[in-house]
Amino acid sequence: MAAELVGPRVYSCCHCRNHVCLHDDIISKAFQGRNGRAFLFSHAMNITLGTKEDRHLMTGLHTVADIYCRDCREVLGWKYERAYEDSQRYKEGKFIFEKAKIVKENW
Ligand SMILES: [Zn+2]
């Protein structure tokens, strides 16, 4: 019965503990961030978006926007606004959070 008492598993900003994403929204843990491992999420919260720009990533050209913690302005990752390769289209509208920038909140 104890499991039913556990709420959604939340990840927080490493800096200020602002809640920024949920474990249940992870699509993939096999991504590469600027500084190591990164996770792909279907949703994000309490973040602000930076300027859209075209970036050449390992998987081709993408339009991305950096995402910032809304409270402390730490850069946490980026959002895929547009992918130009058909095989990468599933990432459009999704969010990358760098593993080093988020912490598990009480779980
Ligand atoms: Zn923060």
Side-chain angles (χ1 to χ4, degrees), residues 57-71:
L57 304 173
M58 283 190 297
T59 47
L61 180 64
H62 296 74
T63 302
V64 301
D66 282 336
I67 56 176
Y68 301 85
C69 172
R70 200 166 65 190
D71 284 354

Side-chain angles (χ1 to χ4, degrees), residues 22-34:
L22 300 175
H23 182 264
D24 285 350
D25 290 333
I26 291 180
I27 296 168
S28 171
K29 291 185 170 182
F31 274 72
Q32 183 69 29
R34 287 191 191 81

Side-chain angles (χ1 to χ4, degrees), residues 34 48-51 53 55 64-68 75 77-79:
R34 287 191 191 81
T48 53
L49 283 172
T51 312
E53 61 181 53
R55 238 176 249 172
V64 301
D66 282 336
I67 56 176
Y68 301 85
V75 178
W78 64 84
K79 180 184 181 186

Side-chain angles (χ1 to χ4, degrees), residues 3-67:
E4 292 177 16
L5 297 174
V6 177
R9 288 176 291 175
V10 176
Y11 283 103
S12 303
C13 169
C14 66
H15 231 242
C16 71
R17 297 303 175 101
N18 180 19
H19 293 180
V20 290
C21 48
L22 300 175
H23 182 264
D24 285 350
D25 290 333
I26 291 180
I27 296 168
S28 171
K29 291 185 170 182
F31 274 72
Q32 183 69 29
R34 287 191 191 81
N35 308 299
R37 292 259 313 272
F39 299 162
L40 184 70
F41 287 80
S42 58
H43 297 94
M45 53 194 176
N46 302 318
I47 52 107
T48 53
L49 283 172
T51 312
K52 289 181 196 178
E53 61 181 53
D54 288 341
R55 238 176 249 172
H56 286 279
L57 304 173
M58 283 190 297
T59 47
L61 180 64
H62 296 74
T63 302
V64 301
D66 282 336
I67 56 176

